[in-house]
Amino acid sequence: MNFHYIRNTRTIAMAALLAGAVSACTPESSDKALGPLPTASFTAEPLAGNANKIVVANTTPGGFLFEYSDDNGHKSTRERDTLSYFQKGEYTIQFTVFTNGGYAKAVKKVTIAQNAQTRDILKGGDMATGSEQFWTLLNTGGTQTAIKIENGAMHFSNTGDSNGAIYQKVSVVAGKSYIFSAQVSGNGASNSWFEIYIDTAVPKQGSDYSGNKYISLNTWSGCGAVKFAGDLSTIGCDGTGKNKNGVMSFTKTGDIYIVVKAGSAGGTLGTGGVVFDDVKFLEEI
């Protein structure tokens, strides 16, 4: 593991205000001077029995505010926490700590040797015959996008302005990591969208769906206008999951909805429409 630290004094004033707010409760210490600029330090070690989980812990003396972030989209403000990694590779973890002397940052690189064990909790994602029973068609109002399963894939098509969706409810557990993946292909659309929403909001028939747009093709944002094929989590150019490789976690245990919505406004989904297949929603075991 490689390690270095970065010190920054830009927000010493803010740290001083926070420290002042705390010390104001004890008059005898109200005249204490600002402490020395900290040197940030933390540990990042594999969890015993599960090398795909990294336990991070602050080791900076006097720290009272903390933030961990990594290039997989994880964020935590706990002093000690566990970060999960689905896929093997090298990851960078950045740590920020505040003390009464200001704030500092430290960086560590961790190597994950193998892919994590997972299970697919989505049903009918292979789009085989009979998969229709696991997906609910959503009428979003207005002209509907044509959606059907045939030849082992789901097809979204139109000949002009339309909108429409399908969805499936799944249950998630707070703190676990999940990854969404799906193969998508098309010959190029115009003035169109193909969107994946992952949200707790319940879809309502006759109403358009909005919420957390996780990843999408969007011709106005620069993808989907020319021939495309690949994992939507990789080639998508819009949504909160952009650049996160499909990885996510949830703060509450309960039901969520995976909604797939496609349509056009002044355009079409292209010749042959959009083909959607091999859809997975993996949960860490």
Side-chain angles (χ1 to χ4, degrees):
M1 297 183 181
N2 300 320
F3 169 79
H4 68 275
Y5 70 88
I6 304 167
R7 300 196 301 176
N8 196 312
T9 58
R10 288 181 179 273
T11 58
I12 289 179
M14 185 176 78
L17 286 173
L18 289 170
V22 174
S23 62
C25 297
T26 55
E28 66 275 14
S29 63
S30 62
D31 59 348
K32 284 188 176 180
L34 198 66
L37 190 67
T39 298
S41 64
F42 72 107
T43 57
E45 300 295 338
L47 179 68
N50 190 339
N52 289 87
K53 293 179 178 292
I54 300 296
V55 179
V56 291
N58 168 56
T59 55
T60 312
F64 61 87
L65 286 177
F66 317 92
E67 181 183 85
Y68 298 95
S69 62
D70 66 16
D71 43 14
N72 218 17
H74 293 115
K75 285 189 180 297
S76 173
T77 55
R78 296 179 178 179
E79 185 173 5
R80 177 187 174 94
D81 209 343
T82 301
L83 308 179
S84 299
Y85 297 91
F86 272 98
Q87 298 171 318
K88 63 182 180 181
E90 186 179 73
Y91 298 88
T92 300
I93 301 174
Q94 180 170 282
F95 172 62
T96 304
V97 60
F98 282 84
T99 71
N100 65 358
Y103 83 90
K105 295 183 178 183
V107 173
K108 284 182 182 285
K109 291 185 180 294
V110 296
T111 299
I112 304 300
Q114 62 184 20
N115 292 338
Q117 291 186 327
T118 61
R119 61 172 182 151
D120 189 3
I121 61 174
L122 192 72
K123 296 180 179 179
D126 59 359
M127 303 303 173
T129 301
S131 295
E132 296 93 338
Q133 64 182 303
F134 302 112
W135 297 95
T136 301
L137 285 170
L138 178 64
N139 183 326
T140 56
T143 303
Q144 284 293 109
T145 298
I147 305 173
K148 61 181 179 179
I149 293 177
E150 62 180 10
N151 301 322
M154 183 173 285
H155 298 258
F156 294 74
S157 61
N158 63 11
T159 55
D161 293 0
S162 72
N163 193 29
I166 51 121
Y167 68 89
Q168 185 173 148
K169 180 174 70 173
V170 298
S171 297
V172 297
V173 177
K176 281 196 172 186
S177 291
Y178 296 82
I179 185 168
F180 173 86
S181 66
Q183 295 299 308
V184 63
S185 62
N187 289 307
S190 61
N191 297 332
S192 297
W193 56 88
F194 186 88
E195 303 170 335
I196 306 297
Y197 289 83
I198 300 178
D199 201 278
T200 58
V202 181
K204 296 180 180 179
Q205 295 295 338
S207 299
D208 196 8
Y209 192 85
S210 61
N212 175 43
K213 181 169 62 177
Y214 187 74
I215 194 69
S216 76
L217 298 173
N218 186 296
T219 57
W220 294 278
S221 296
C223 58
V226 297
K227 190 172 183 178
F228 56 87
D231 190 325
L232 181 57
S233 295
T234 301
I235 65 176
C237 62
D238 188 31
T240 61
K242 183 181 176 183
N243 301 323
K244 294 183 180 179
N245 296 320
V247 178
M248 70 197 79
S249 60
F250 301 89
T251 58
K252 294 182 179 179
T253 296
D255 294 333
I256 63 164
Y257 294 85
I258 298 177
V259 180
V260 187
K261 185 171 75 171
S264 306
T268 75
L269 290 170
T271 303
V274 176
V275 181
F276 189 55
D277 196 11
D278 195 22
V279 189
K280 294 182 174 68
F281 194 65
L282 302 175
E283 178 183 71
E284 67 170 313
I285 296 175

